[in-house]
């Protein structure tokens, strides 16, 4: 892990430009705040923090992807979140004094921006609109987690896989001539850990979707979504 502070040389690539919670700030305000940002770099597989840690900072992903996970009583990894550019974490301790509820691990080379608790409080007092944006973002995150937990007990496996691929398409998809190219943030094993099933089950279901002409693998890390409507029908989401 490499740490450094932001200077004028990196002001053109500030995290604030990529994070919705800072959208109410002017360019001048963003430049002023840049002087208090610390940067950390992580390689794939490095741990940003562990479950039970007391974080005294807000961490924002500038580049890369991070998984948030817990280890179940059976010793299995259960992925709860996949964070990417513009996402943040550390708010539990920042606002409520609670310890981290999960472990965060870099899925690829990742660059983060960090605000200490004291500095971030100063920003909130000066710009209350940021607090509103944080609340809205956390509400969306809680809603996604509740949907995931409910689907694990209610929706069929086909529905859960379909719903997850649609979520990935929405966040990581790019228009392509034949459909939507999804740059998967997780490996097959990671998807299995997210859904709480065996890796072989995920591979079998993805193979079935390929046979049915709904998706097509593109290399090891991408999927081309060919029939979004069929995937929505399978997932049970509204068309």
């Amino acid at each position: 892990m490499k740490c450094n502070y932001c200077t004028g040389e990196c002001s053109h690539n500030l995290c604030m430009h990529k994070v919705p919670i800072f959208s109410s700030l002017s360019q001048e305000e963003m430049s002023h705040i840049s002087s208090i940002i610390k940067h950390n770099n992580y390689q794939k597989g490095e741990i940003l923090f562990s479950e039970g840690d007391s974080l005294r900072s807000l961490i924002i992903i500038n580049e890369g992807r991070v998984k948030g996970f817990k280890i179940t009583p059976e010793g299995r990894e259960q992925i709860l979140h996949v964070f990417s550019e513009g996402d943040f974490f550390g708010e539990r301790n920042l606002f409520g004094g609670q310890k981290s509820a999960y472990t965060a691990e870099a899925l690829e080379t990742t660059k983060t921006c960090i605000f200490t608790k004291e500095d971030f409080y100063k920003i909130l007092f000066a710009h209350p609109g940021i607090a509103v944006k944080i609340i809205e973002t956390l509400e969306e995150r809680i809603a996604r987690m509740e949907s995931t937990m409910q689907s694990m007990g209610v929706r069929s496996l086909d529905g859960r896989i379909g719903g997850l691929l649609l979520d990935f398409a929405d966040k990581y998809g790019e228009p392509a001539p034949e459909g939507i190219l999804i740059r998967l943030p997780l490996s097959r094993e990671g998807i299995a850990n997210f859904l709480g099933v065996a890796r072989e089950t995920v591979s079998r279901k993805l193979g079935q979707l390929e046979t049915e002409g709904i998706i097509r693998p593109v290399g090891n890390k991408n999927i081309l979504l060919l029939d979004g409507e069929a995937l929505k029908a399978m997932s049970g989401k509204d068309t």
Side-chain angles (χ1 to χ4, degrees), residues 82-103:
V82 178
F83 301 101
S84 56
E85 181 179 297
D87 288 334
F88 64 87
F89 33 74
E91 72 286 341
R92 284 173 58 91
N93 184 264
L94 201 64
F95 301 121
Q98 302 179 56
K99 295 182 178 180
S100 175
Y102 51 83
T103 297

Side-chain angles (χ1 to χ4, degrees), residues 80-154:
L80 305 174
H81 302 285
V82 178
F83 301 101
S84 56
E85 181 179 297
D87 288 334
F88 64 87
F89 33 74
E91 72 286 341
R92 284 173 58 91
N93 184 264
L94 201 64
F95 301 121
Q98 302 179 56
K99 295 182 178 180
S100 175
Y102 51 83
T103 297
E105 178 183 324
L107 290 168
E108 59 190 38
T109 299
T110 298
K111 298 180 180 180
T112 63
C113 298
I114 299 174
F115 293 92
T116 66
K117 183 174 183 178
E118 293 74 19
D119 286 337
F120 196 70
Y121 269 37
K122 293 177 183 177
I123 295 173
L124 290 182
F125 286 131
H127 307 283
I130 294 177
V132 176
K133 291 288 186 180
I134 290 177
I135 292 172
E136 292 174 348
T137 302
L138 293 179
E139 286 179 341
E140 293 173 0
R141 187 179 297 175
I142 291 171
R144 287 198 303 270
M145 177 174 284
E146 288 179 343
S147 176
T148 298
M149 298 305 292
Q150 290 173 358
S151 69
M152 290 180 67
V154 178

Side-chain angles (χ1 to χ4, degrees), residues 13-237:
N13 195 31
L14 293 177
C15 295
M16 285 97 76
H17 290 291
K18 303 178 180 181
V19 186
I21 63 174
F22 293 117
S23 61
S24 61
L25 298 181
S26 67
Q27 180 64 44
E28 182 178 356
E29 289 168 333
M30 288 186 181
S31 297
H32 174 71
I33 292 173
S34 69
S35 62
I36 64 176
I37 296 176
K38 186 174 75 172
H39 292 257
N40 284 351
N41 298 337
Y42 300 87
Q43 298 304 310
K44 179 180 179 180
E46 278 197 82
I47 300 297
L48 282 71
F49 56 85
S50 299
E51 181 178 356
D53 284 353
S54 296
L55 303 178
R56 292 190 57 80
S57 57
L58 185 76
I59 304 172
I60 302 171
I61 298 179
N62 191 24
E63 295 179 16
R65 291 176 182 149
V66 172
K67 65 178 178 181
F69 68 93
K70 295 173 69 74
I71 300 300
T72 68
E74 295 77 24
R76 181 177 57 82
E77 177 182 283
Q78 176 66 60
I79 296 178
L80 305 174
H81 302 285
V82 178
F83 301 101
S84 56
E85 181 179 297
D87 288 334
F88 64 87
F89 33 74
E91 72 286 341
R92 284 173 58 91
N93 184 264
L94 201 64
F95 301 121
Q98 302 179 56
K99 295 182 178 180
S100 175
Y102 51 83
T103 297
E105 178 183 324
L107 290 168
E108 59 190 38
T109 299
T110 298
K111 298 180 180 180
T112 63
C113 298
I114 299 174
F115 293 92
T116 66
K117 183 174 183 178
E118 293 74 19
D119 286 337
F120 196 70
Y121 269 37
K122 293 177 183 177
I123 295 173
L124 290 182
F125 286 131
H127 307 283
I130 294 177
V132 176
K133 291 288 186 180
I134 290 177
I135 292 172
E136 292 174 348
T137 302
L138 293 179
E139 286 179 341
E140 293 173 0
R141 187 179 297 175
I142 291 171
R144 287 198 303 270
M145 177 174 284
E146 288 179 343
S147 176
T148 298
M149 298 305 292
Q150 290 173 358
S151 69
M152 290 180 67
V154 178
R155 294 166 72 184
S156 67
L157 179 58
D158 285 353
R160 287 153 56 193
I161 290 180
L164 183 61
L165 290 179
L166 286 174
D167 289 342
F168 284 167
D170 182 58
K171 191 166 186 178
Y172 306 110
E174 300 175 358
E178 296 181 81
I180 299 176
L181 182 64
I182 306 173
R183 303 190 182 281
L184 296 174
L186 296 172
S187 64
R188 300 294 191 274
E189 183 176 358
I191 292 175
N193 290 341
F194 194 100
L195 295 172
V197 299
R199 183 184 186 281
E200 293 75 15
T201 301
V202 170
S203 296
R204 184 171 63 253
K205 289 297 181 181
L206 292 178
Q208 179 182 335
L209 292 178
E210 181 182 3
T211 300
E212 295 173 356
I214 298 176
I215 65 171
R216 181 195 305 155
V218 181
N220 294 325
K221 297 183 178 180
N222 302 321
I223 285 179
L224 183 63
L225 176 56
L226 301 169
D227 192 341
E229 293 304 314
L231 201 61
K232 287 179 182 178
M234 186 180 87
S235 70
K237 292 192 175 185

